[in-house]
Amino acid sequence: MASTTAEAKFELITRRLQEVLGGESIKAILDEGRTPKCYWGSACTGRPHIGYFVPLTKIADFLRAGVETTILLADVHAFLDNLKAPLELVAHRTKYYKFLLIAVFRSLGIPTNKLRFIEGSSYQLSKEYSLDNLRLCAIVSEHDAKKAGAEVVKQVESPLLSGLIYPGMQALDEQYLDCDFQFGGVDQRKIFTFAELYLPRLGYKKRAHLMNAMVPGLGGGKMSSSDPNSKIDFLDPPELVRRKIKSAFCEEGNIADNGVLAFVQAVVIPISELRIERQHGETGADSEEGQDAVGDQTPFSLEGAPEGTVFSVFRKEEHGGSLHYSSFEALEKDFAEKRVHPKDLKTAVSDAIIKLLTPIRETFEKSEEWKEVVKLAYPDPNAKPEKKKKVKVYHPPPPGKGKNAQQQQQQPAATAAVDGQTPVPALTTSDSTPTEANEASATPA
């Protein structure tokens, strides 16, 4: 692990992945002693769920191998994907994603100063990019564009043109972000093969593509941001996490479509292994890993567990005592043979998720700016609009009109008449009241 040979770096870059396309080009870069560059992007639409732990944890391996890594906040893509993120919300959601991703990276011990964060709109609206986009549109058929986005772009009966542009822009991003490989979920495969086919037709080089497995939802199937019952949000409180895991599909002895078991394999154990390797100083080229980490950085093992344990399941002594595993295969075998009860597994997984989410929630609670961004990015659809109080504005009547003017006309003028002389208006001085002034003017000389 501590080795810096090209072979060791390639092993780090590609371990735990479901598929690698064009790995030879990465090997060639490493053999030449050059630094590979990659990018991972996310369209800023719905609130990210804990399935994002899979690609974000993998980025630690890239940094250990010395890969220059770019995080793309794909704001334009978010808008293009069948209005999943309306234009007026995209900017707020982009800020939310950045807040969240940085908090998750810090909770994993990944140094964010080694990552380059960039918004798609910062270059995708340029003249050069727009011209390349048009060049691509001139050679791509509707069939190929639709096929490329089939697993990523929301599918509707009457697809919008925006969804057809989406895959081509993701391909162009590889050129404009100057990467050697793009990293994403296996659901991106058709876009990746689209990029491999069409970028060379524009005169640009073909890139490699790395894919992680997708985390199943709690009820089986894909974990989705749009289905609250299939996912756990990064900011879900502990009681909600336990309630969701408790209701998740986890049939005794059934290892197929088991979202709880799959989460252990895809997230819990890789993070445990990452932390154990860090404890042994095995961080490769990333000497800063873990320095600014927040939260508990120990593996998901119980006190007294054997060395190398990556996951423990607590059980009372009358039920045989706790179980400790150094590999997922051993846990899967025990579950299939019904040595691990679903209730015990769910409790252990709930504890692990809460441990993962605690530093992220604490970071959120300390940031007033992040809290405000959440309200703007994901407004509550059930919230009643605040009733605005009507403010009465006083408009003075014109001269000689209004209530006061009428009262003055009805009152007799305060005057004084002496021996038929012309009445004298009432005096109002600072030293006497009108009444006193009237009495003074009526006194004979």
Side-chain angles (χ1 to χ4, degrees):
M1 283 289 298
S3 174
T4 55
T5 64
E7 184 178 349
K9 288 181 178 179
F10 185 75
E11 168 61 25
L12 272 173
I13 291 170
T14 58
R15 69 171 178 170
R16 300 195 193 98
L17 295 175
Q18 180 166 323
E19 189 174 2
V20 176
L21 299 176
E24 297 79 13
S25 64
I26 301 176
K27 284 183 179 180
I29 293 171
L30 294 170
D31 288 338
E32 293 171 6
R34 293 190 290 118
T35 299
K37 301 175 184 177
C38 85
Y39 102 79
W40 173 85
S42 181
C44 308
T45 54
R47 290 172 65 144
H49 51 70
I50 58 174
Y52 278 62
F53 269 123
V54 177
L56 301 186
T57 300
K58 181 60 191 169
I59 286 172
D61 285 338
F62 296 158
L63 296 183
R64 288 180 176 188
V67 176
E68 292 183 12
T69 306
T70 295
I71 307 299
L72 173 64
L73 301 168
D75 50 353
V76 176
H77 281 91
F79 172 66
L80 291 176
D81 192 0
N82 282 289
L83 299 180
K84 286 201 294 189
L87 194 57
E88 61 270 17
L89 295 181
V90 167
H92 299 307
R93 292 185 177 182
T94 301
K95 289 181 181 179
Y96 176 83
Y97 267 62
K98 188 170 184 180
F99 270 118
L100 180 67
L101 293 177
I102 289 176
V104 175
F105 281 132
R106 291 184 64 214
S107 76
L108 294 172
I110 296 173
T112 55
N113 64 305
K114 289 192 172 184
L115 303 173
R116 178 177 68 144
F117 289 86
I118 186 168
E119 295 179 11
S121 57
S122 67
Y123 64 90
Q124 290 169 347
L125 304 180
S126 68
K127 176 182 177 181
E128 294 77 14
Y129 189 97
S130 297
L131 286 174
D132 270 344
N133 201 9
L134 292 175
R135 289 173 62 208
L136 195 58
C137 289
I139 62 174
V140 175
S141 67
E142 177 189 0
H143 173 271
D144 284 1
K146 189 174 181 180
K147 179 182 177 182
E151 301 296 325
V152 178
V153 180
K154 185 178 180 181
Q155 299 300 295
V156 294
E157 188 173 339
S158 298
L160 299 174
L161 183 59
S162 59
L164 300 178
I165 295 174
Y166 188 112
M169 290 183 61
Q170 187 168 336
L172 284 177
D173 289 341
E174 296 180 358
Q175 174 66 24
Y176 280 79
L177 292 175
D178 189 27
C179 75
D180 298 303
F181 68 88
Q182 184 181 171
F183 170 53
V186 73
D187 61 337
Q188 308 273 328
R189 192 182 195 281
K190 292 180 180 178
I191 291 182
F192 292 165
T193 55
F194 174 93
E196 291 182 2
L197 175 64
Y198 280 102
L199 277 187
R201 295 187 183 183
L202 293 180
Y204 299 137
K205 70 177 183 179
K206 176 180 174 181
R207 270 74 174 186
H209 296 94
L210 278 56
M211 288 161 274
N212 61 260
M214 306 302 293
V215 180
L218 300 180
K222 182 180 176 180
M223 187 176 288
S224 171
S225 295
S226 60
D227 182 3
N229 296 320
S230 76
K231 61 148 189 169
I232 292 175
D233 189 281
F234 278 106
L235 300 180
D236 279 348
E239 60 274 13
L240 183 55
V241 171
R242 294 193 186 280
R243 188 160 69 246
K244 287 184 176 181
I245 293 296
K246 184 178 180 180
S247 62
F249 175 77
C250 187
E251 183 180 31
E252 187 176 13
N254 186 352
I255 60 175
D257 295 322
N258 189 325
V260 179
L261 200 60
F263 187 80
V264 178
Q265 179 184 23
V267 176
V268 176
I269 289 180
I271 292 177
S272 261
E273 291 175 344
L274 197 75
R275 291 173 175 178
I276 291 172
E277 290 164 357
R278 188 188 303 154
Q279 289 174 351
H280 295 161
E282 300 173 350
T283 59
D286 189 6
S287 59
E288 297 179 33
E289 183 183 308
Q291 289 184 3
D292 296 320
V294 295
D296 189 343
Q297 296 295 305
T298 58
F300 300 99
S301 56
L302 295 171
E303 187 176 351
E307 182 76 17
T309 297
V310 292
F311 185 64
S312 295
V313 177
F314 174 79
R315 294 192 309 183
K316 295 181 179 179
E317 291 300 326
E318 57 264 33
H319 295 153
S322 298
L323 298 170
H324 309 286
Y325 297 97
S326 59
S327 70
F328 174 75
E329 290 72 22
L331 169 64
E332 186 179 46
K333 183 175 181 293
D334 275 3
F335 190 84
E337 296 175 355
K338 300 185 179 181
R339 288 192 62 206
V340 179
H341 192 274
K343 182 179 179 181
D344 294 330
L345 177 64
K346 286 184 175 183
T347 300
V349 171
S350 295
D351 291 341
I353 293 175
I354 292 169
K355 181 178 177 180
L356 282 170
L357 300 187
T358 295
I360 300 169
R361 279 192 55 80
E362 289 177 347
T363 302
F364 170 74
E365 294 298 339
K366 293 176 183 177
S367 174
E368 294 302 320
E369 185 180 359
W370 189 359
K371 291 178 185 177
E372 187 61 30
V373 166
V374 173
K375 295 177 184 177
L376 296 172
Y378 303 99
D380 184 358
N382 300 317
K384 295 181 180 179
E386 294 183 5
K387 292 184 178 179
K388 295 183 178 179
K389 295 181 178 180
K390 292 184 178 180
V391 179
K392 293 183 178 180
V393 179
Y394 174 70
H395 297 286
K401 303 291 184 181
K403 184 178 179 181
N404 293 336
Q406 294 175 358
Q407 290 178 348
Q408 291 174 0
Q409 291 173 1
Q410 292 173 359
Q411 293 176 354
T415 60
V418 180
D419 296 335
Q421 296 180 2
T422 303
V424 180
L427 298 174
T428 53
T429 66
S430 58
D431 296 326
S432 62
T433 64
T435 303
E436 293 171 338
N438 290 342
E439 291 176 350
S441 64
T443 305

